[in-house]
Amino acid sequence: MRKIDRYAGIPLCFVLSVWFSLWQLIFRPAKKAAKNVLFLELSEMGSAIIADPALRYVKEQPGAQVFFAIFKKNVGSLHLLNTIPEKNLFTFREDNLFTLVWDTLRFMVWCRRNDIDTVIDMEMFSRVSALLSRVTGAVNLIGFVAYHSEGLYRGNFLTRPVVYNAHQHIAKNFMALSHTAMMQEEQLPFCKSLIRDEDIVLAQAPRDEQAIARIHATLQSLSPDYQPGQRVVLINPNASDLLPQRRWPAEHFQAVIENLLARYDDILIVITGAPGEFAGAEALKNAVDHPRCVNSAGKFAFKELVPLYFVADMMLTNDSGPGHFSAVTPLRTFVIFGPETPALYSSLGNSTALYLGLACSPCVSAANHRKTDCVDNRCVKDLLPAQALAAIHPHLDRIAAQ
């Protein structure tokens, strides 16, 4: 995808920028209030959750409808809260360049059928999303620009460019895009709105007792001695292959698990993961070798994560999707950060960031397109199990005392 974005994206952005400038000059399209607003966020499942307050802000405006376009493999994240109606979702296949081109043609037709007048491009380092925003035919194009900072060349399509603020949480940056789309006045630069912490509070998913009963049944199949009401601690040792530097060492997870099993005789440790992460989770379970430590990788479908989070008492996870998915429930999470900073990307849920803040950290951000040359991720390696346990113990002790 990065190769497509670079080698096809740069010349296409240039050609379409020239065409767009001429089109604007000749036809001078009339301004139009935002009514049918399309959000573009293709590649980050966690970001789709963090963006939910911004989606709801637009949805609450009189006469506004919200739409969303995302890669097909990531669409599940939008189903956790169902802010976007199914009929207003468009999914792209990211298999190869040919399917992407074909889906782009379908997307152009879909946008015109839905009379999309406004596009909010939430990507900061993708030329593909910039190009897609242009081919929608929308009059209002909102997205991030670098202004006088160094930045990725993405063409010159935006009618309302917004300053990306690298000093505030990404959820507030997303909200700035929504404010810009719905405001009447012109600003330079956008967006001069005050966005408060209470403006980015995440909605909560409903509790489904039937789904929770199925979770209990699955846990009993993994651990025959498990009974509903027993304390469950989730361990997510996984992180995206796109940024393996986010992974805490397996031996650190092992040390935490062994400590918790020795300290609390009533907890069940559940190692989580996708089907493709089964082998790593199984190796961790075997290293611990305890009857109250089980491997659930591949056992829970994505739609079962929310009821699982309602059942669990806490989760320890790398900086990855589960830390954001769980934010739609009251689950207490402890999230390990290193290559990225929690100041910008922390979960909006009941979450505690575990972060050393080394001199080199964070080394990846939107400004460098999430690329790093680091091959020794000391920012997470040097976060010791004892430091994680110092944060976790008070939470579990408090639950035990209740």
Side-chain angles (χ1 to χ4, degrees), residues 55 63 88 100 126 132 174 202 239 262 267 301 309 328 332 375 381:
L55 304 184
N88 290 5
L100 184 60
S126 166
L132 290 173
F174 289 155
L202 197 62
I267 66 170
Y309 296 149
V328 304
R332 181 66 183 276
V375 294
K381 286 180 181 177

Side-chain angles (χ1 to χ4, degrees), residues 258-278:
E258 290 173 346
N259 177 282
L260 296 180
L261 290 170
R263 184 181 177 101
Y264 307 102
D265 59 9
D266 64 325
I267 66 170
L268 175 67
I269 301 288
V270 179
I271 303 170
T272 63
E277 295 162 335
F278 178 86

Side-chain angles (χ1 to χ4, degrees), residues 219 223 225-233 257 259-270 290-293 311-314 393 395-402:
L219 291 176
S223 175
D225 292 333
Y226 169 78
Q227 294 296 324
Q230 182 179 354
R231 292 200 290 174
V232 174
V233 172
I257 294 171
N259 177 282
L260 296 180
L261 290 170
R263 184 181 177 101
Y264 307 102
D265 59 9
D266 64 325
I267 66 170
L268 175 67
I269 301 288
V270 179
H290 193 287
R292 284 189 287 118
C293 177
V311 167
D313 292 274
M314 62 147 281
H393 284 161
H395 171 68
L396 292 177
D397 290 345
R398 187 164 54 252
I399 295 176
Q402 292 176 350

Side-chain angles (χ1 to χ4, degrees), residues 205-217 228 306-308 310-311:
R207 184 181 175 95
D208 184 337
E209 295 300 335
Q210 289 186 335
I212 287 174
R214 292 192 291 271
I215 297 300
H216 288 312
V306 166
L308 174 63
F310 273 113
V311 167

Side-chain angles (χ1 to χ4, degrees), residues 2 125 362-372:
R2 278 179 170 165
F125 49 93
C363 63
V364 298
S365 68
N368 64 10
H369 326 311
R370 294 215 169 125
K371 294 180 181 178
T372 178

